[in-house]
Amino acid sequence: MSITICTLWLCLILLVSSTGAATGSQQVNYVTPTSPAGISCPGQPCLTLDQYITSSSTYIISNSVFKLLPGIHHITRSFVARNIECITLEGDIERKSNPQVQISGSRYLWRYLLQFIDTVDVYISGIEQKNVGISLEGTENVTLHRVVVDGPITAVSLLNTIDTNISCCSLKNTGWTALTLRNTYNTSISNTTVNNTGWNGFNLCNSSKTDILHTLLNSTGWHGIELRQTNSTLISYSTVNSTGWNGIEIQQANSTVIYNSTVKNTGWNGIEIRQANFTVISCSTVKSTGWYGIEIFNSSQTTVTCSLVDETGWSGIEISNSTQARVIGTNITNVGWSRLDCRYTDMPCTVEKPPNLNCNCNNKDTCSSEPQNLLPPQAPGSGDETFIDDIVTDSKQVNITTPTSSVYERSQSSTNPTPMMSVIQVTPVPSVGISSPINYLSHRNVILGVSGSVATVMLAFIIVAIVAWIYRMLAKHNLSIIITTVLIRQVKIDTKVRVK
């Protein structure tokens, strides 16, 4: 009995000590560039990125930090982080313009040279990538900050991700789409620019809770932003300029808000809304479109308010086969055909001007300012939104603000399809300073943050010890002998049955 108790306490001590070791230590790896050669390292180990990739089982592990020294880091194979926790790739964290750290590689058609698979807590900062895309699959809690991606087929791909923050990045010269999101939840894209894409700027499919804040998308071959089967998307203080097709494409999407944004110089429509529910366009400008300024087709609960539609090749706003579409306090000017073109709708084809409507759409370029009470009473939505905003780019640390209450509320009952009042409001928020990427990365994890394999072994020891103690207690009352006898008899009976 005493031996078993001692064994149990020993297992607990080992578990706690191993947990502390796992969460308290980080492996720092210095990465020397391939060009220029011969740069001295401030510590060891110090290898090229290719050498670390070759010995990935040793170096690309949980709690690892790769500090890339200034220069060009050419890689010939993929950097793959799989099933690990807390990994950092850090370049020029203090440099404000283009980073001096560059990762380059061959332009693979269907392959990403930086891959993070089933990985939790990823931080990439201060790096420029030439012909090298980033793939995030099954990840959680990822930050891309001040990353430049130039020239790959797709710059960044997100698949089955949770809690991704992309801030102050530049994605350009992509053969296809700059940023793709598939089956993602809670993604923030802020202070980010997209230039010169062969296909779309942003492509979102089957994704929920996405905030696109203070972004610029310029010169896209197809759509600027494409939303398909999305839920709860906010596009705020953003500009889409010069697109081959539509500026913003919204299809089969629910609860989309476009606030204080600009869409201009589009080959087709400025904003196209098809088979979508609960869409709000507020305090925004649509200008210089090849066809319609805004097209609303086969959709319900669409509101355009306090906006400007100007210089359209055809009608300013076209509404067809749609229900409860409202145009409120909006100027429609310089159109090729008609200001409003309505067909098969249940609403009057007029621009409403409620006497108490306040169309004050100022502070467009101020990141910390949020709109106040500008959406109409029937504005749609679902769920409470909390988004990361106000990224400070001229400081050595990233300040992330977390609202004390919902900054952006979109409420819709799941049982009652009638939309409720939707409000965008200013909320005081506390700032949390982040002095180190490692301190920022939170550990969600198995048994106090210890890696899964170690925790499993420790837990197995504890279970064995507990079972042994219970068996000894039963032995005092001869219960273990009775149970064992019954089990043996049952096995004999089962064996006889099988023989017959």
Side-chain angles (χ1 to χ4, degrees):
M1 177 68 180
S2 58
I3 296 175
T4 304
I5 294 176
C6 290
T7 304
L8 177 60
W9 278 108
L10 179 61
C11 289
L12 290 173
I13 292 171
L14 288 173
L15 177 62
V16 172
S17 62
S18 62
T19 300
T23 57
S25 61
Q26 287 125 20
Q27 176 175 300
V28 179
N29 307 303
Y30 293 94
V31 186
T32 184
T34 52
S35 176
I39 291 182
S40 60
C41 285
Q44 295 294 326
C46 186
L47 307 172
T48 66
L49 200 53
D50 253 353
Q51 289 172 326
Y52 283 118
I53 294 171
T54 302
S55 304
S56 60
S57 59
T58 302
Y59 295 107
I60 306 179
I61 58 177
S62 295
N63 297 304
S64 59
V65 181
F66 293 87
K67 291 183 176 291
L68 286 80
L69 303 180
I72 298 175
H73 301 259
H74 187 80
I75 57 177
T76 59
R77 66 198 77 186
S78 295
F79 180 99
V80 180
R82 186 190 299 270
N83 294 318
I84 63 175
E85 300 174 4
C86 196
I87 182 169
T88 296
L89 271 70
E90 181 181 279
D92 302 319
I93 60 174
E94 298 183 6
R95 187 176 174 86
K96 307 305 178 295
S97 59
N98 285 345
Q100 289 182 328
V101 172
Q102 182 186 113
I103 299 177
S104 67
S106 302
R107 184 170 178 164
Y108 284 43
L109 183 60
W110 297 112
R111 185 179 177 189
Y112 299 92
L113 293 186
L114 292 183
Q115 300 181 49
F116 300 86
I117 303 169
D118 298 331
T119 299
V120 177
D121 298 338
V122 179
Y123 188 96
I124 304 175
S125 177
I127 295 171
E128 180 179 5
Q129 300 177 190
K130 287 283 190 180
N131 301 326
V132 177
I134 299 175
S135 173
L136 304 168
E137 181 177 346
T139 61
E140 182 174 349
N141 193 19
V142 175
T143 295
L144 306 182
H145 179 62
R146 287 198 311 105
V147 174
V148 178
V149 184
D150 184 358
I153 297 299
T154 297
V156 181
S157 173
L158 278 63
L159 174 64
N160 300 326
T161 64
I162 300 175
D163 299 337
T164 304
N165 176 26
I166 300 172
S167 64
C168 304
C169 294
S170 175
L171 315 176
K172 55 187 178 180
N173 302 322
T174 59
W176 208 327
T177 299
L179 173 62
T180 65
L181 284 73
R182 296 286 185 276
N183 302 321
T184 65
Y185 178 80
N186 197 26
T187 304
S188 172
I189 308 163
S190 63
N191 298 63
T192 291
T193 61
V194 171
N195 279 289
N196 190 26
T197 68
W199 199 251
N200 299 321
F202 298 155
N203 182 274
L204 286 68
C205 180
N206 197 25
S207 297
S208 299
K209 291 191 67 177
T210 305
D211 295 323
I212 301 172
L213 315 171
H214 307 285
T215 60
L216 170 63
L217 299 97
N218 185 61
S219 187
T220 62
W222 198 247
H223 305 307
I225 300 173
E226 182 178 20
L227 311 178
R228 288 181 181 269
Q229 298 176 333
T230 60
N231 292 289
S232 191
T233 304
L234 169 66
I235 302 171
S236 178
Y237 296 102
S238 296
T239 298
V240 178
N241 177 48
S242 186
T243 65
W245 202 250
N246 298 321
I248 299 176
E249 169 89 0
I250 304 171
Q251 282 205 34
Q252 298 177 339
N254 295 311
S255 193
T256 303
V257 172
I258 302 171
Y259 176 79
N260 218 332
S261 295
T262 299
V263 177
K264 58 184 179 180
N265 301 319
T266 64
W268 198 249
N269 300 322
I271 300 174
E272 182 174 289
I273 304 167
R274 303 179 72 85
Q275 297 178 314
N277 303 310
F278 309 120
T279 304
V280 170
I281 302 170
S282 180
C283 282
S284 295
T285 298
V286 179
K287 185 179 178 70
S288 300
T289 65
W291 200 247
Y292 299 119
I294 300 172
E295 182 185 22
I296 304 168
F297 173 77
N298 199 19
S299 299
S300 66
Q301 299 279 13
T302 305
T303 303
V304 182
T305 180
C306 297
S307 295
L308 169 66
V309 179
D310 185 33
E311 297 180 7
T312 64
W314 200 246
S315 299
I317 299 178
E318 197 262 359
I319 306 172
S320 62
N321 297 90
S322 297
T323 59
Q324 299 188 50
R326 303 178 65 190
V327 182
I328 305 172
T330 293
N331 292 326
I332 306 173
T333 58
N334 301 318
V335 298
W337 181 250
S338 62
R339 295 173 68 242
L340 274 173
D341 184 4
C342 301
R343 289 170 290 174
Y344 312 111
T345 66
D346 63 344
M347 302 292 289
C349 199
T350 59
V351 178
E352 302 176 43
K353 294 184 178 179
N356 297 324
L357 182 67
N358 177 17
C359 284
N360 179 15
C361 298
N362 296 325
N363 303 319
K364 181 173 182 178
D365 297 322
T366 305
C367 291
S368 60
S369 298
E370 290 301 327
Q372 302 183 53
N373 303 332
L374 294 179
L375 300 185
Q378 290 197 3
S382 69
D384 290 338
E385 288 293 321
T386 300
F387 53 78
I388 299 174
D389 195 5
D390 205 13
I391 301 296
V392 180
T393 59
D394 57 353
S395 172
K396 294 183 181 180
Q397 61 184 16
V398 180
N399 291 325
I400 296 179
T401 60
T402 304
T404 54
S405 63
S406 177
V407 169
Y408 178 60
E409 292 186 68
R410 285 171 273 185
S411 300
Q412 176 196 352
S413 172
S414 59
T415 57
N416 184 0
T418 304
M420 299 173 63
M421 179 68 176
S422 180
V423 177
I424 301 180
Q425 60 186 5
V426 174
T427 306
V429 293
S431 295
V432 181
I434 308 300
S435 58
S436 168
I438 299 303
N439 292 335
Y440 164 63
L441 299 176
S442 62
H443 292 271
R444 177 204 57 170
N445 308 312
V446 187
I447 307 183
L448 304 176
V450 69
S451 64
S453 58
V454 176
T456 302
V457 173
M458 293 290 90
L459 189 60
F461 276 115
I462 294 174
I463 292 172
V464 170
I466 292 174
V467 170
W469 177 77
I470 293 173
Y471 196 86
R472 286 174 177 269
M473 292 296 295
L474 293 174
K476 286 186 175 182
H477 306 283
N478 293 325
L479 291 178
S480 60
I481 298 173
I482 297 172
I483 293 172
T484 303
T485 303
V486 171
L487 290 175
I488 292 172
R489 287 179 179 176
Q490 185 62 42
V491 170
K492 289 181 179 179
I493 293 170
D494 291 342
T495 304
K496 290 180 180 178
V497 171
R498 291 194 186 96
V499 171
K500 289 180 180 179

